[in-house]
Amino acid sequence: MKVLITGGAGFIGSTIASACLDQGITPVILDNLVTGRREFTEGRDFYEGDIADGPLVDRIFADHPEIAATIHCAALIVVPESVSEPLRYYRENVAKTVALVEHLQRNGCDRLLFSSSASIYTPGPDFAVDESSELDPLSPYARTKMLIELVFKDTAEATRLRVLSLRYFNPIGADPLLRTGLQTPLPSHALGKLIEARRSGEPFRITGTDWPTRDGSGIRDYVHVWDLARAHVAALTRFDQALPPGGNGCYNVINLGTGEGTTVRELIAAFEAVTGAPQPVVEAGPRPGDTAGAFTRSEKAAELLDWRPELSLEQGIADTLAWFAHRESVLAPS
């Protein structure tokens, strides 16, 4: 089997590509390298360009007619940036995805896995959510994910397109073989900022300390990126079972998380346990677009994909640290 991975030179897309290769699935990468890394495409079929470029997408399918599905990972993802540049996010994430779907349909590709986000949920009092929980995205980034899901749902109901929207929680870690990892030098998520704070000797900023969580800091479901990648392989191999062709169910959503909520203060404690050293902190207000967070209580991924997370929070921290130590030799200057 071959699979097209948009954004396949980024953190998650490149890790999915590695997991596919390990299972005998050939990834074909489409990435404009705005945030992706050319190094992550080495030894893989790679096309540099935009997902909205119809002639390029047509050429990919002409070169690789065996492509059986698309995994759509290409997106801008920085929440505060989406608040300051909303039109850019709606153009890059939503408008270009509409164009991509038209190109995929023209080339007869009707199986699609979408990298969605748990940030679209509004959690209940315990911060746990499942696929039927109310949606209320609070940032332009999150709203782009919800809008894309609506585009896919409406299109799937009207055409032969079948879509599994995989709602990620908070990816951490790296490819255990250190083939790929976080590609940005200054990552925006909490663990990346913890590592940068340790490296610089600066205190770590806890952004938001008055959330209605057990310790006032935000709560997240930290899922290892390798577990996420394994879930995509499972979704590829079980796609026709989850969404049978010709059936009434042409669109479905699945949460991908561990089922455990970890607060920022608990993440810091786990980081200190893994590193064996205390981490100074300072408290600050929330960033633009921040929310208290959520974690999944769903078993749907286990039921439909026979997938469960296997790697712990501590393993995710250790693998992220290993990647940060290794990446200077991997990521040559662009």
Side-chain angles (χ1 to χ4, degrees):
M1 177 193 296
K2 285 188 177 182
V3 58
L4 173 64
I5 306 179
T6 69
F11 171 40
I12 295 174
S14 64
T15 309
I16 293 169
S18 294
C20 285
L21 283 167
D22 290 353
Q23 295 301 315
I25 299 169
T26 301
V28 179
I29 307 303
L30 171 59
D31 200 298
N32 60 12
L33 301 183
V34 169
T35 59
R37 297 293 303 192
R38 190 179 300 277
E39 292 86 346
F40 292 173
T41 70
E42 291 178 1
R44 303 172 182 186
D45 293 314
F46 170 56
Y47 294 79
E48 182 177 353
D50 199 280
I51 61 172
D53 185 340
L56 175 58
V57 175
D58 291 345
R59 178 157 64 90
I60 292 171
F61 278 91
D63 292 347
H64 304 276
E66 316 94 317
I67 290 174
T70 297
I71 301 176
H72 181 32
C73 298
L76 300 176
I77 64 169
V78 180
V79 170
E81 183 180 73
S82 79
V83 174
S84 62
E85 301 181 59
L87 290 178
R88 179 180 176 226
Y89 270 67
Y90 285 112
R91 180 182 64 250
E92 297 296 322
N93 290 3
V94 181
K96 289 188 176 182
T97 293
V98 171
L100 172 68
V101 173
E102 292 175 329
H103 305 328
L104 295 177
Q105 290 192 305
R106 184 174 61 252
N107 285 281
C109 186
D110 61 4
R111 297 180 180 89
L112 193 147
L113 305 180
F114 174 48
S115 299
S116 192
S117 171
S119 64
I120 67 177
Y121 287 119
T122 178
D126 63 352
F127 300 99
V129 297
D130 60 29
E131 290 82 356
S132 64
S133 295
E134 182 180 351
L135 306 183
D136 185 21
L138 298 180
S139 70
Y141 159 72
R143 284 189 280 273
T144 67
K145 291 295 187 179
M146 187 179 75
L147 285 173
I148 294 168
E149 285 203 11
L150 292 173
V151 168
F152 286 148
K153 185 175 187 296
D154 289 343
T155 306
E157 289 175 353
T159 70
R160 296 181 59 184
L161 183 70
R162 290 178 287 152
V163 183
L164 284 176
S165 283
L166 306 178
R167 292 176 179 166
Y168 304 169
F169 281 75
N170 298 83
I172 60 171
D175 175 347
L177 298 181
L178 298 183
R179 290 169 286 191
T180 58
L182 279 167
Q183 80 277 33
T184 55
L186 296 173
S188 61
H189 66 54
L191 180 55
K193 287 185 173 296
L194 263 173
I195 295 171
E196 287 302 309
R198 174 61 59 86
R199 173 178 292 179
S200 67
E202 298 292 327
F204 172 75
R205 290 168 61 87
I206 301 176
T207 52
T209 58
D210 294 321
W211 301 111
T213 61
R214 52 183 168 263
D215 61 21
S217 64
I219 194 166
R220 301 290 186 268
D221 188 333
Y222 294 102
V223 58
H224 199 294
V225 69
W226 190 248
D227 279 331
L228 277 184
R230 290 178 40 253
H232 287 74
V233 173
L236 286 172
T237 57
R238 291 175 168 264
F239 192 96
D240 287 342
Q241 295 167 260
L243 289 177
N248 293 325
C250 49
Y251 176 84
N252 210 339
V253 300
I254 300 175
N255 284 353
L256 296 181
T258 66
E260 297 183 7
T262 301
T263 69
V264 174
R265 295 187 193 279
E266 290 165 349
L267 175 67
I268 294 167
F271 181 76
E272 292 175 330
V274 171
T275 60
Q279 175 60 50
V281 301
V282 295
E283 297 183 356
R287 302 172 303 171
D290 273 351
T291 65
F295 61 94
T296 187
R297 59 168 172 259
S298 172
E299 288 294 320
K300 196 171 180 179
E303 295 163 4
L304 288 184
L305 307 181
D306 191 28
W307 173 87
R308 290 176 175 81
E310 297 177 352
L311 300 172
S312 67
L313 172 66
E314 290 76 14
Q315 186 64 55
I317 293 170
D319 286 344
T320 305
L321 287 164
W323 171 254
F324 270 63
H326 174 72
R327 71 179 185 175
E328 289 186 2
S329 65
V330 175
L331 300 184
S334 300

